Amino acid sequence: MTSVVVLPAGHSLHRFHAAGFDPVYFDRSRSGRLNAPDGTYDVMYTTMTVRGAFADTFLRHPGVNLIDDDRLRNRACARLEARSELHLVKLCGEGLGRLGATAEVTHGGLPYDLPQEWSKALRAAFPRMDGILYTARHDDEPQCHALFDHCSRRIVLRERIENLDEDWFRNIAEVSSVGKAPPA
């Protein structure tokens, strides 16, 4: 029996995205961990918490513990909301064993061939599921979501923060042992 997590209507979803662009963006490239290996569907990545979104965006390069000012200016933070329930296949915790997987699927490095094949297989096996719940490789506590494009109309923007050079962002960075790069 597969583990399914239901996010209720009204549930907040967090993500950092390219500033100046719509934060509700489903990507068709092969660059995302759980994107379609053949480009047949789009995926949007969100998390349960702002801290999780921070880890998923800014902690991608282990050992790099400064955020460049340009990178900071080119990112924005969004709080999205599910307009209706979202059903996600659980690819973490007990969900791994039930699916016959290991954490390597979502915690392995490049190339993303293995996780992308899992994404494709799970989407095919559970076509009514809205995505995959997993934990990030860079911080395995916050839960993350790889949402499939068929739920795009059920996700709405609730809040967008364009200026990340603020105290709340610095607090998240400090907790995550990452700081802002000093001016040149």
Side-chain angles (χ1 to χ4, degrees):
M1 176 92 185
T2 301
S3 292
V4 174
V5 173
V6 178
L7 303 181
H11 186 83
S12 290
L13 308 165
H14 302 274
R15 73 186 309 255
F16 286 90
H17 61 93
F21 289 92
D22 188 349
V24 181
Y25 173 73
F26 287 78
D27 180 30
R28 189 171 289 248
S29 76
R30 289 205 62 223
S31 64
R33 180 175 304 277
L34 294 167
N35 283 23
D38 53 6
T40 55
Y41 56 92
D42 303 343
V43 176
M44 179 173 68
Y45 295 91
T46 66
T47 65
M48 296 273 198
T49 64
V50 175
R51 187 183 116 213
F54 176 88
D56 202 37
T57 303
F58 293 102
L59 300 182
R60 292 177 173 258
H61 304 288
V64 175
N65 56 3
L66 294 176
I67 300 171
D68 181 83
D69 284 338
D70 286 337
R71 186 149 189 239
L72 202 57
R73 278 190 293 275
N74 292 324
R75 289 285 181 204
C77 182
R79 183 175 63 84
L80 309 174
E81 185 177 285
R83 290 173 42 172
S84 63
E85 286 184 348
L86 297 175
H87 297 83
L88 308 176
V89 176
K90 189 173 182 184
L91 189 57
C92 58
E94 83 282 350
L96 292 168
R98 290 182 178 185
L99 291 168
T102 67
E104 180 181 20
V105 173
T106 56
H107 289 201
L110 290 168
Y112 291 148
D113 298 340
L114 177 65
Q116 289 178 356
E117 287 299 329
W118 271 91
S119 175
K120 182 179 178 181
L122 291 173
R123 190 168 188 271
F126 307 104
R128 293 184 182 204
M129 291 294 129
D130 297 307
I132 299 170
L133 180 94
Y134 66 101
T135 56
R137 176 177 183 229
H138 318 291
D139 181 345
D140 65 356
E141 288 180 4
Q143 293 182 334
C144 303
H145 325 104
L147 302 175
F148 299 139
D149 53 6
H150 65 262
C151 70
S152 65
R153 287 189 223 137
R154 297 182 304 163
I155 309 293
V156 295
L157 175 64
R158 287 295 177 229
E159 179 182 13
R160 180 191 321 215
I161 301 170
E162 295 284 338
N163 180 11
L164 300 183
D165 195 12
E166 296 182 10
D167 288 343
W168 69 268
F169 183 83
R170 283 191 213 100
N171 290 339
I172 292 171
E174 286 175 21
V175 167
S176 301
S177 299
V178 174
K180 190 174 155 249

